[in-house]
Amino acid sequence: DELRGPPLHRYVAEERHLEITAILENVLTTGEPASYETEYHAPGGTTYYESRVVPRILDGGTVGLTLTARDITERVQTEALLRSQNQFITTVFESLRHPFYVIDASDYTIKMANSAASSGDFPETATCYALTHRRTTPCGDAGHLCPMEEIKKTGKPVVVEHTHYNNEGVPRVFEVHGHPIFDDEGKVAQIIEYTLDITERNQAEMALRERTHELGTLLEISRSVALIQDLETLLGLILQRLKTVVDYGGATIFKVEDKSLAILAHRGNVPQKKLPQRFAIGDTLIGRQLLVDQKPVIIRDMGDDTPLAHDLKQVTGEHFEAVHGQACSWLAVPLTIKDQVIGVMALQHDEPDRYYTPSDADLVLGFANQAAVAMENARLYEQAQTLAAMVERQRLARDLHDAVS
């Protein structure tokens, strides 16, 4: 009874009057049924309807319309709530700085992902392993523990480390966090996965471990310098421990004698006895940089025609092949005591792609300083022994003189 009398569009939002009128007129004109959704504004509130309009035919002509309406208020409200929730979830997803995914447990396809996970749109069939590993098969057979398989097996969250490709296609180390989503039967239907780029953290941890190892090695050597009196044994130990910090194919400790270098200790593929025991470097560019300027010498490629590489070939002369063999990179640092160079520590590496850097030189200098202390201690010990022998001879001479007198 409430609906009788007034025009139909009275019960439609004003902004849709023309639209609904056009629909009704089209049904009258064409005789084709039509459907539309609209809302009915009443004092008690707004009700949403799904309406179906069909023509009333009499004697072959359209004489009116029949309209049926179904209350869809609950559905519309539910859909509005879902849209609001989806918008909230999307906003949360996009607020995350790290890649975030929802992955189907049955086929590994990505059901939802934020912008941090991909630089652009990806197909509905995109899988997690294709996006992050650039693979056509799951990552479990690539040396990585698959979070999906582990969660399906245990039903529990998991954290693993993977190497993924970022949006620029660069491989990075990621910490992968996976959490299960269960269906009504308690089976894993999907997983939520987010990843944290820990490349820099891993590099920092590795650098810290390396630095700890370096300091521990130097501390061990400093204790050995105080305890071991045999210089040859001590220098050999220093070269042995140096290799665990800065790799080499051959390493030698020299003693400066006039303008030459005399070998005190050597470790490498070529036995020390097969090497020339002395090299004259005083008037060379290498000699000036080591003995006068007291600076390290780095030759990245001994085959280059640089002044330092050319100098090294002159220093070793006909013994170049015997001394350096297939070595590609060469590094030497001075051994100093009280601003006086007493020796040189030299390293060479045989791998073409491995060349020494200023950072390597800084590390080698720490070992060179310990070698210098060992050499100075040996010199002072020998000096003390000589002085003690001279004092003893003088005492014996006095005793003999007194006995004769």
Short mmCIF file of all heavy atoms in Angstrom, two decimals, residues 267-321:
data_model
loop_
_atom_site.label_atom_id
_atom_site.label_comp_id
_atom_site.label_asym_id
_atom_site.label_seq_id
_atom_site.Cartn_x
_atom_site.Cartn_y
_atom_site.Cartn_z
N ARG A 267 107.58 -19.12 2.60
CA ARG A 267 106.57 -20.16 2.50
C ARG A 267 105.94 -20.05 1.11
O ARG A 267 105.61 -18.96 0.66
CB ARG A 267 105.47 -19.98 3.56
CG ARG A 267 105.93 -20.24 4.98
CD ARG A 267 106.24 -21.72 5.20
NE ARG A 267 106.58 -22.00 6.59
CZ ARG A 267 107.80 -21.86 7.11
NH1 ARG A 267 108.79 -21.42 6.32
NH2 ARG A 267 108.04 -22.14 8.36
N GLY A 268 105.78 -21.19 0.44
CA GLY A 268 105.16 -21.15 -0.87
C GLY A 268 105.45 -22.40 -1.66
O GLY A 268 106.02 -23.38 -1.15
N ASN A 269 105.05 -22.37 -2.93
CA ASN A 269 105.21 -23.55 -3.79
C ASN A 269 106.68 -23.80 -4.14
O ASN A 269 107.07 -24.95 -4.38
CB ASN A 269 104.39 -23.36 -5.08
CG ASN A 269 102.91 -23.22 -4.79
OD1 ASN A 269 102.39 -23.81 -3.84
ND2 ASN A 269 102.20 -22.44 -5.61
N VAL A 270 107.47 -22.75 -4.20
CA VAL A 270 108.89 -22.88 -4.54
C VAL A 270 109.71 -22.98 -3.25
O VAL A 270 109.62 -22.10 -2.39
CB VAL A 270 109.39 -21.68 -5.38
CG1 VAL A 270 110.86 -21.85 -5.73
CG2 VAL A 270 108.53 -21.52 -6.63
N PRO A 271 110.49 -24.05 -3.05
CA PRO A 271 111.30 -24.17 -1.83
C PRO A 271 112.29 -23.00 -1.71
O PRO A 271 112.80 -22.49 -2.70
CB PRO A 271 112.04 -25.50 -2.03
CG PRO A 271 111.23 -26.26 -3.04
CD PRO A 271 110.64 -25.21 -3.93
N GLN A 272 112.57 -22.61 -0.47
CA GLN A 272 113.45 -21.46 -0.24
C GLN A 272 114.84 -21.69 -0.82
O GLN A 272 115.47 -20.76 -1.33
CB GLN A 272 113.54 -21.18 1.27
CG GLN A 272 114.44 -19.99 1.60
CD GLN A 272 114.41 -19.65 3.08
OE1 GLN A 272 113.45 -19.96 3.77
NE2 GLN A 272 115.46 -19.01 3.57
N LYS A 273 115.32 -22.92 -0.75
CA LYS A 273 116.69 -23.18 -1.22
C LYS A 273 116.85 -23.00 -2.73
O LYS A 273 117.97 -22.85 -3.23
CB LYS A 273 117.11 -24.59 -0.82
CG LYS A 273 116.26 -25.69 -1.42
CD LYS A 273 116.70 -27.07 -0.92
CE LYS A 273 115.84 -28.18 -1.50
NZ LYS A 273 116.27 -29.52 -1.01
N LYS A 274 115.72 -22.99 -3.47
CA LYS A 274 115.80 -22.79 -4.91
C LYS A 274 115.70 -21.32 -5.31
O LYS A 274 115.76 -20.99 -6.49
CB LYS A 274 114.68 -23.59 -5.60
CG LYS A 274 114.87 -25.10 -5.53
CD LYS A 274 113.85 -25.82 -6.39
CE LYS A 274 114.09 -27.32 -6.38
NZ LYS A 274 113.12 -28.04 -7.25
N LEU A 275 115.53 -20.45 -4.32
CA LEU A 275 115.41 -19.02 -4.60
C LEU A 275 116.75 -18.32 -4.43
O LEU A 275 117.57 -18.73 -3.58
CB LEU A 275 114.39 -18.38 -3.65
CG LEU A 275 112.94 -18.89 -3.71
CD1 LEU A 275 112.12 -18.22 -2.62
CD2 LEU A 275 112.34 -18.62 -5.08
N PRO A 276 117.00 -17.27 -5.20
CA PRO A 276 118.17 -16.42 -4.91
C PRO A 276 118.03 -15.87 -3.50
O PRO A 276 116.94 -15.45 -3.09
CB PRO A 276 118.06 -15.31 -5.96
CG PRO A 276 117.19 -15.87 -7.04
CD PRO A 276 116.23 -16.78 -6.36
N GLN A 277 119.11 -15.87 -2.74
CA GLN A 277 119.03 -15.48 -1.35
C GLN A 277 119.18 -13.98 -1.12
O GLN A 277 119.02 -13.50 0.01
CB GLN A 277 120.10 -16.24 -0.54
CG GLN A 277 119.94 -17.75 -0.60
CD GLN A 277 118.58 -18.22 -0.09
OE1 GLN A 277 118.24 -17.98 1.07
NE2 GLN A 277 117.80 -18.87 -0.96
N ARG A 278 119.46 -13.24 -2.17
CA ARG A 278 119.67 -11.80 -2.01
C ARG A 278 119.21 -11.06 -3.28
O ARG A 278 119.42 -11.53 -4.39
CB ARG A 278 121.14 -11.51 -1.73
CG ARG A 278 121.47 -10.05 -1.46
CD ARG A 278 122.97 -9.91 -1.20
NE ARG A 278 123.34 -10.61 0.01
CZ ARG A 278 123.31 -10.07 1.22
NH1 ARG A 278 122.93 -8.81 1.37
NH2 ARG A 278 123.67 -10.75 2.28
N PHE A 279 118.56 -9.89 -3.07
CA PHE A 279 118.10 -9.06 -4.17
C PHE A 279 118.51 -7.62 -3.90
O PHE A 279 118.28 -7.09 -2.81
CB PHE A 279 116.57 -9.12 -4.30
CG PHE A 279 116.04 -10.49 -4.59
CD1 PHE A 279 115.68 -11.33 -3.54
CD2 PHE A 279 115.90 -10.94 -5.89
CE1 PHE A 279 115.18 -12.59 -3.79
CE2 PHE A 279 115.40 -12.20 -6.15
CZ PHE A 279 115.04 -13.03 -5.10
N ALA A 280 119.10 -6.98 -4.89
CA ALA A 280 119.50 -5.58 -4.77
C ALA A 280 118.35 -4.69 -5.21
O ALA A 280 117.90 -4.75 -6.36
CB ALA A 280 120.73 -5.31 -5.62
N ILE A 281 117.84 -3.85 -4.29
CA ILE A 281 116.70 -2.99 -4.64
C ILE A 281 116.94 -1.52 -4.29
O ILE A 281 116.06 -0.68 -4.49
CB ILE A 281 115.42 -3.47 -3.93
CG1 ILE A 281 115.53 -3.25 -2.42
CG2 ILE A 281 115.10 -4.91 -4.25
CD1 ILE A 281 114.21 -3.33 -1.70
N GLY A 282 118.10 -1.20 -3.78
CA GLY A 282 118.35 0.14 -3.26
C GLY A 282 118.10 1.26 -4.24
O GLY A 282 117.55 2.31 -3.88
N ASP A 283 118.47 1.10 -5.50
CA ASP A 283 118.37 2.17 -6.48
C ASP A 283 117.15 2.02 -7.39
O ASP A 283 117.09 2.63 -8.46
CB ASP A 283 119.64 2.20 -7.36
CG ASP A 283 120.88 2.54 -6.53
OD1 ASP A 283 120.73 3.32 -5.57
OD2 ASP A 283 121.96 2.00 -6.83
N THR A 284 116.19 1.23 -6.97
CA THR A 284 114.99 1.01 -7.78
C THR A 284 113.81 1.79 -7.23
O THR A 284 113.82 2.26 -6.09
CB THR A 284 114.63 -0.49 -7.82
OG1 THR A 284 114.26 -0.90 -6.49
CG2 THR A 284 115.81 -1.32 -8.31
N LEU A 285 112.77 1.91 -8.05
CA LEU A 285 111.54 2.57 -7.62
C LEU A 285 110.91 1.81 -6.45
O LEU A 285 110.42 2.42 -5.49
CB LEU A 285 110.57 2.66 -8.80
CG LEU A 285 109.22 3.35 -8.52
CD1 LEU A 285 109.44 4.79 -8.10
CD2 LEU A 285 108.34 3.28 -9.76
N ILE A 286 110.94 0.48 -6.53
CA ILE A 286 110.40 -0.34 -5.43
C ILE A 286 111.19 -0.10 -4.16
O ILE A 286 110.63 0.04 -3.06
CB ILE A 286 110.43 -1.84 -5.82
CG1 ILE A 286 109.42 -2.12 -6.93
CG2 ILE A 286 110.16 -2.72 -4.61
CD1 ILE A 286 109.43 -3.54 -7.43
N GLY A 287 112.52 -0.05 -4.29
CA GLY A 287 113.37 0.18 -3.12
C GLY A 287 113.10 1.51 -2.46
O GLY A 287 113.01 1.61 -1.24
N ARG A 288 112.95 2.57 -3.26
CA ARG A 288 112.69 3.89 -2.70
C ARG A 288 111.34 3.93 -1.97
O ARG A 288 111.20 4.52 -0.90
CB ARG A 288 112.74 4.95 -3.81
CG ARG A 288 114.15 5.23 -4.32
CD ARG A 288 114.18 6.49 -5.16
NE ARG A 288 113.39 6.35 -6.38
CZ ARG A 288 113.86 5.83 -7.52
NH1 ARG A 288 115.11 5.40 -7.58
NH2 ARG A 288 113.09 5.76 -8.59
N GLN A 289 110.33 3.27 -2.59
CA GLN A 289 109.00 3.31 -1.96
C GLN A 289 108.98 2.52 -0.66
O GLN A 289 108.32 2.92 0.31
CB GLN A 289 107.96 2.74 -2.94
CG GLN A 289 106.52 2.98 -2.50
CD GLN A 289 105.54 2.79 -3.63
OE1 GLN A 289 105.84 3.10 -4.78
NE2 GLN A 289 104.35 2.28 -3.31
N LEU A 290 109.72 1.41 -0.60
CA LEU A 290 109.73 0.58 0.60
C LEU A 290 110.69 1.10 1.66
O LEU A 290 110.33 1.23 2.84
CB LEU A 290 110.09 -0.86 0.25
CG LEU A 290 109.04 -1.70 -0.47
CD1 LEU A 290 109.65 -3.01 -0.97
CD2 LEU A 290 107.86 -2.00 0.46
N LEU A 291 111.93 1.40 1.26
CA LEU A 291 112.98 1.70 2.23
C LEU A 291 113.05 3.18 2.61
O LEU A 291 113.41 3.51 3.75
CB LEU A 291 114.33 1.26 1.66
CG LEU A 291 114.42 -0.21 1.21
CD1 LEU A 291 115.84 -0.53 0.74
CD2 LEU A 291 113.99 -1.15 2.32
N VAL A 292 112.70 4.07 1.68
CA VAL A 292 112.79 5.51 1.96
C VAL A 292 111.43 6.06 2.37
O VAL A 292 111.27 6.67 3.43
CB VAL A 292 113.35 6.27 0.74
CG1 VAL A 292 113.42 7.76 1.05
CG2 VAL A 292 114.73 5.72 0.35
N ASP A 293 110.43 5.86 1.50
CA ASP A 293 109.09 6.38 1.79
C ASP A 293 108.37 5.54 2.84
O ASP A 293 107.38 5.99 3.43
CB ASP A 293 108.25 6.44 0.51
CG ASP A 293 108.86 7.36 -0.54
OD1 ASP A 293 109.61 8.27 -0.15
OD2 ASP A 293 108.58 7.16 -1.73
N GLN A 294 108.82 4.30 3.03
CA GLN A 294 108.23 3.37 4.00
C GLN A 294 106.74 3.16 3.71
O GLN A 294 105.89 3.17 4.60
CB GLN A 294 108.44 3.87 5.44
CG GLN A 294 109.90 3.99 5.81
CD GLN A 294 110.11 4.37 7.26
OE1 GLN A 294 109.19 4.30 8.08
NE2 GLN A 294 111.33 4.76 7.61
N LYS A 295 106.43 2.94 2.42
CA LYS A 295 105.05 2.71 2.00
C LYS A 295 104.94 1.35 1.32
O LYS A 295 105.90 0.86 0.72
CB LYS A 295 104.60 3.80 1.02
CG LYS A 295 104.50 5.19 1.64
CD LYS A 295 104.03 6.20 0.61
CE LYS A 295 103.89 7.59 1.22
NZ LYS A 295 103.46 8.59 0.21
N PRO A 296 103.76 0.73 1.41
CA PRO A 296 103.57 -0.56 0.72
C PRO A 296 103.67 -0.40 -0.80
O PRO A 296 103.43 0.67 -1.35
CB PRO A 296 102.15 -0.97 1.13
CG PRO A 296 101.84 -0.17 2.35
CD PRO A 296 102.59 1.12 2.20
N VAL A 297 104.01 -1.49 -1.46
CA VAL A 297 104.04 -1.56 -2.92
C VAL A 297 103.03 -2.61 -3.36
O VAL A 297 103.08 -3.75 -2.89
CB VAL A 297 105.44 -1.92 -3.45
CG1 VAL A 297 105.40 -2.13 -4.96
CG2 VAL A 297 106.45 -0.83 -3.09
N ILE A 298 102.12 -2.22 -4.25
CA ILE A 298 101.12 -3.15 -4.78
C ILE A 298 101.23 -3.18 -6.29
O ILE A 298 101.14 -2.13 -6.94
CB ILE A 298 99.69 -2.74 -4.37
CG1 ILE A 298 99.53 -2.77 -2.84
CG2 ILE A 298 98.67 -3.67 -5.02
CD1 ILE A 298 98.16 -2.27 -2.37
N ILE A 299 101.44 -4.36 -6.83
CA ILE A 299 101.44 -4.55 -8.28
C ILE A 299 100.27 -5.47 -8.60
O ILE A 299 100.33 -6.67 -8.31
CB ILE A 299 102.77 -5.16 -8.78
CG1 ILE A 299 103.94 -4.25 -8.39
CG2 ILE A 299 102.72 -5.35 -10.29
CD1 ILE A 299 105.29 -4.80 -8.77
N ARG A 300 99.21 -4.90 -9.16
CA ARG A 300 98.00 -5.68 -9.40
C ARG A 300 98.22 -6.75 -10.45
O ARG A 300 97.70 -7.86 -10.34
CB ARG A 300 96.85 -4.76 -9.83
CG ARG A 300 96.38 -3.85 -8.73
CD ARG A 300 95.29 -2.92 -9.20
NE ARG A 300 94.17 -3.65 -9.80
CZ ARG A 300 92.90 -3.31 -9.66
NH1 ARG A 300 92.59 -2.25 -8.95
NH2 ARG A 300 91.94 -4.00 -10.23
N ASP A 301 98.97 -6.44 -11.48
CA ASP A 301 99.23 -7.40 -12.54
C ASP A 301 100.71 -7.33 -12.90
O ASP A 301 101.17 -6.33 -13.46
CB ASP A 301 98.36 -7.11 -13.76
CG ASP A 301 98.46 -8.19 -14.83
OD1 ASP A 301 99.38 -9.03 -14.73
OD2 ASP A 301 97.63 -8.20 -15.75
N MET A 302 101.44 -8.38 -12.56
CA MET A 302 102.88 -8.37 -12.80
C MET A 302 103.22 -8.44 -14.28
O MET A 302 104.37 -8.21 -14.67
CB MET A 302 103.52 -9.55 -12.05
CG MET A 302 103.40 -9.40 -10.53
SD MET A 302 103.73 -10.93 -9.64
CE MET A 302 105.42 -11.22 -10.09
N GLY A 303 102.23 -8.75 -15.11
CA GLY A 303 102.47 -8.79 -16.55
C GLY A 303 102.31 -7.45 -17.21
O GLY A 303 102.62 -7.29 -18.40
N ASP A 304 101.80 -6.45 -16.46
CA ASP A 304 101.62 -5.12 -17.04
C ASP A 304 102.97 -4.45 -17.30
O ASP A 304 104.00 -4.83 -16.74
CB ASP A 304 100.80 -4.23 -16.10
CG ASP A 304 99.32 -4.58 -16.16
OD1 ASP A 304 98.93 -5.32 -17.07
OD2 ASP A 304 98.57 -4.11 -15.27
N ASP A 305 102.92 -3.40 -18.12
CA ASP A 305 104.14 -2.65 -18.43
C ASP A 305 104.18 -1.36 -17.60
O ASP A 305 104.58 -0.31 -18.10
CB ASP A 305 104.19 -2.34 -19.92
CG ASP A 305 105.58 -1.87 -20.34
OD1 ASP A 305 106.55 -2.22 -19.65
OD2 ASP A 305 105.68 -1.14 -21.35
N THR A 306 103.77 -1.44 -16.34
CA THR A 306 103.83 -0.29 -15.44
C THR A 306 105.24 -0.14 -14.88
O THR A 306 106.02 -1.11 -14.89
CB THR A 306 102.82 -0.45 -14.29
OG1 THR A 306 103.18 -1.62 -13.53
CG2 THR A 306 101.40 -0.61 -14.82
N PRO A 307 105.60 1.05 -14.38
CA PRO A 307 106.95 1.23 -13.83
C PRO A 307 107.27 0.24 -12.71
O PRO A 307 108.39 -0.30 -12.66
CB PRO A 307 106.91 2.67 -13.31
CG PRO A 307 105.90 3.36 -14.17
CD PRO A 307 104.84 2.33 -14.44
N LEU A 308 106.31 -0.01 -11.80
CA LEU A 308 106.59 -0.93 -10.70
C LEU A 308 106.75 -2.36 -11.19
O LEU A 308 107.64 -3.09 -10.72
CB LEU A 308 105.46 -0.85 -9.66
CG LEU A 308 105.44 0.41 -8.79
CD1 LEU A 308 104.19 0.44 -7.92
CD2 LEU A 308 106.69 0.48 -7.91
N ALA A 309 105.88 -2.80 -12.12
CA ALA A 309 106.01 -4.15 -12.67
C ALA A 309 107.33 -4.31 -13.41
O ALA A 309 108.01 -5.34 -13.29
CB ALA A 309 104.82 -4.45 -13.59
N HIS A 310 107.69 -3.30 -14.17
CA HIS A 310 108.97 -3.33 -14.89
C HIS A 310 110.13 -3.38 -13.89
O HIS A 310 111.13 -4.10 -14.10
CB HIS A 310 109.08 -2.10 -15.78
CG HIS A 310 110.34 -2.06 -16.59
ND1 HIS A 310 110.58 -2.92 -17.64
CD2 HIS A 310 111.45 -1.25 -16.49
CE1 HIS A 310 111.77 -2.65 -18.16
NE2 HIS A 310 112.31 -1.64 -17.48
N ASP A 311 110.02 -2.62 -12.79
CA ASP A 311 111.05 -2.60 -11.75
C ASP A 311 111.23 -3.97 -11.13
O ASP A 311 112.36 -4.42 -10.88
CB ASP A 311 110.63 -1.59 -10.67
CG ASP A 311 111.78 -0.69 -10.26
OD1 ASP A 311 112.69 -0.49 -11.08
OD2 ASP A 311 111.76 -0.20 -9.13
N LEU A 312 110.12 -4.65 -10.84
CA LEU A 312 110.20 -5.97 -10.20
C LEU A 312 110.91 -6.96 -11.10
O LEU A 312 111.70 -7.79 -10.62
CB LEU A 312 108.79 -6.46 -9.87
CG LEU A 312 108.69 -7.77 -9.10
CD1 LEU A 312 109.37 -7.67 -7.74
CD2 LEU A 312 107.23 -8.19 -8.93
N LYS A 313 110.67 -6.87 -12.40
CA LYS A 313 111.35 -7.76 -13.33
C LYS A 313 112.85 -7.49 -13.34
O LYS A 313 113.67 -8.41 -13.46
CB LYS A 313 110.77 -7.59 -14.73
CG LYS A 313 109.32 -8.06 -14.84
CD LYS A 313 108.72 -7.70 -16.19
CE LYS A 313 107.25 -8.06 -16.25
NZ LYS A 313 106.60 -7.62 -17.51
N GLN A 314 113.23 -6.22 -13.21
CA GLN A 314 114.66 -5.88 -13.18
C GLN A 314 115.32 -6.39 -11.90
O GLN A 314 116.46 -6.87 -11.92
CB GLN A 314 114.83 -4.37 -13.28
CG GLN A 314 114.72 -3.83 -14.70
CD GLN A 314 115.22 -2.39 -14.79
OE1 GLN A 314 115.03 -1.61 -13.86
NE2 GLN A 314 115.84 -2.04 -15.91
N VAL A 315 114.58 -6.27 -10.77
CA VAL A 315 115.14 -6.70 -9.49
C VAL A 315 115.43 -8.19 -9.50
O VAL A 315 116.49 -8.64 -9.05
CB VAL A 315 114.18 -6.35 -8.34
CG1 VAL A 315 114.60 -7.03 -7.05
CG2 VAL A 315 114.13 -4.84 -8.13
N THR A 316 114.49 -8.99 -10.00
CA THR A 316 114.68 -10.44 -10.00
C THR A 316 115.49 -10.92 -11.20
O THR A 316 116.08 -12.01 -11.15
CB THR A 316 113.31 -11.15 -10.00
OG1 THR A 316 112.51 -10.61 -11.05
CG2 THR A 316 112.60 -10.92 -8.68
N GLY A 317 115.52 -10.12 -12.27
CA GLY A 317 116.37 -10.44 -13.42
C GLY A 317 116.08 -11.81 -13.99
O GLY A 317 114.93 -12.18 -14.23
N GLU A 318 117.13 -12.58 -14.20
CA GLU A 318 117.01 -13.90 -14.82
C GLU A 318 116.28 -14.90 -13.93
O GLU A 318 115.89 -15.98 -14.38
CB GLU A 318 118.40 -14.44 -15.16
CG GLU A 318 119.28 -14.64 -13.95
CD GLU A 318 120.68 -15.12 -14.30
OE1 GLU A 318 121.01 -15.10 -15.49
OE2 GLU A 318 121.42 -15.50 -13.38
N HIS A 319 116.10 -14.52 -12.65
CA HIS A 319 115.44 -15.44 -11.72
C HIS A 319 113.93 -15.16 -11.62
O HIS A 319 113.25 -15.72 -10.75
CB HIS A 319 116.05 -15.30 -10.32
CG HIS A 319 117.53 -15.54 -10.29
ND1 HIS A 319 118.09 -16.78 -10.51
CD2 HIS A 319 118.56 -14.67 -10.08
CE1 HIS A 319 119.41 -16.68 -10.42
NE2 HIS A 319 119.72 -15.42 -10.17
N PHE A 320 113.40 -14.31 -12.50
CA PHE A 320 112.00 -13.91 -12.40
C PHE A 320 111.06 -15.11 -12.41
O PHE A 320 110.17 -15.23 -11.57
CB PHE A 320 111.64 -12.94 -13.52
CG PHE A 320 110.23 -12.42 -13.44
CD1 PHE A 320 109.91 -11.34 -12.64
CD2 PHE A 320 109.20 -13.04 -14.16
CE1 PHE A 320 108.61 -10.85 -12.56
CE2 PHE A 320 107.90 -12.56 -14.08
CZ PHE A 320 107.61 -11.47 -13.28
N GLU A 321 111.26 -16.01 -13.37
CA GLU A 321 110.37 -17.17 -13.47
C GLU A 321 110.52 -18.08 -12.26
O GLU A 321 109.53 -18.60 -11.74
CB GLU A 321 110.68 -17.95 -14.75
CG GLU A 321 110.27 -17.24 -16.03
CD GLU A 321 108.76 -17.06 -16.12
OE1 GLU A 321 108.04 -17.90 -15.54
OE2 GLU A 321 108.32 -16.09 -16.75
#
